[in-house]
């Protein structure tokens, strides 16, 4: 059966005011995914209003608090695309060992013994890679939770000591 067009225009429950408030809250929550953000909205909106970081009318607030994760994704799509274009990275994936190193998710680490490490290189550049900044190599032993953070700045010879 063909879908008939609606006789009336759809009411826009989530207007630009709701979208702007959502963007503010999403940025304050470090741009977490919608499924994690939505359950956290009541506490976050209340705290942001109390500390003066968010000022919205009561009707906008009530619409923001009853939003679904799918709607959040739809409203934030342009913001996410823009954020994706502005990602700054100081490391690039290499193709040399790409097919030789097994990538595991958190669920795959149930049979590990001490000595299996995850490594990450963090750049403390404040958004500007054009000047000197500090890198930190972070190593974590999956089984024990042991962690080693080694800084490497412009005057350091090696990352690990």
């Amino acid at each position: 059966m063909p879908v008939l067009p609606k006789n009336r225009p759809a009411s826009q429950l989530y207007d630009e005011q709701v979208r702007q408030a959502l963007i503010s809250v999403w940025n304050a929550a470090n741009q977490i995914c919608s499924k994690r953000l939505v359950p956290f909205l009541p506490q976050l909106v209340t705290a942001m209003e109390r500390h003066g970081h968010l000022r919205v009318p009561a009707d906008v607030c009530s619409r923001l608090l009853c939003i679904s994760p799918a709607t959040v994704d739809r409203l934030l799509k342009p913001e996410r695309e823009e954020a994706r274009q502005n990602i700054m990275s100081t490391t690039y994936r290499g193709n040399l060992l790409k097919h030789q190193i097994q990538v595991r998710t958190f669920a795959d680490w149930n049979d590990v013994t001490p000595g299996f490490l995850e490594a990450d290189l963090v750049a403390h550049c404040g958004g500007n890679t054009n000047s000197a900044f500090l890198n930190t190599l972070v190593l974590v032993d999956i089984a024990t939770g042991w962690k080693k953070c080694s800084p490497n700045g412009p005057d350091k010879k090696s990352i690990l000591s």
Side-chain angles (χ1 to χ4, degrees):
M1 179 176 233
V3 177
L4 300 175
K6 294 180 181 179
N7 293 335
R8 60 177 173 78
S11 64
Q12 191 171 2
L13 182 61
Y14 301 108
D15 58 5
E16 189 60 24
Q17 282 186 310
V18 175
R19 185 176 170 279
Q20 289 302 319
L22 178 63
I23 291 169
S24 296
V25 172
W26 178 62
N27 283 322
N30 203 20
Q31 300 178 347
I32 61 176
C33 72
S34 61
K35 290 182 181 177
R36 294 183 187 262
L37 178 65
V38 168
F40 187 52
L41 279 176
Q43 294 88 357
L44 187 56
V45 168
T46 302
M48 288 180 71
E49 285 180 327
R50 182 179 35 212
H51 294 287
H53 298 289
L54 183 69
R55 291 199 175 113
V56 292
D59 65 318
V60 172
C61 185
S62 65
R63 287 184 282 160
L64 184 62
L65 296 179
C66 69
I67 200 167
S68 72
T71 303
V72 169
D73 286 339
R74 197 167 39 257
L75 292 175
L76 291 178
K77 186 176 181 179
E79 297 298 317
R80 285 194 172 123
E81 288 174 357
E82 183 179 328
R84 193 174 303 123
Q85 291 173 355
N86 295 330
I87 290 176
M88 181 185 52
S89 178
T90 58
T91 58
Y92 302 95
R93 63 180 162 168
N95 292 325
L96 185 62
L97 300 174
K98 181 177 172 181
H99 300 289
Q100 297 176 7
I101 299 173
Q102 180 183 5
V103 177
R104 296 184 182 188
T105 64
F106 69 94
D108 297 329
W109 288 103
N110 57 2
D111 62 340
V112 297
T113 57
F116 289 94
L117 301 175
E118 281 191 2
D120 191 16
L121 188 62
V122 179
H124 307 281
C125 58
N128 181 6
T129 59
N130 293 329
S131 61
F133 57 90
L134 180 73
N135 284 309
T136 302
L137 178 65
V138 181
L139 299 171
V140 179
D141 185 296
I142 301 303
T144 64
W146 172 86
K147 180 171 60 173
K148 171 75 174 174
C149 299
S150 296
N152 181 24
D155 57 348
K156 294 268 187 171
K157 297 286 184 200
S158 103
I159 292 178
L160 292 175
S161 53

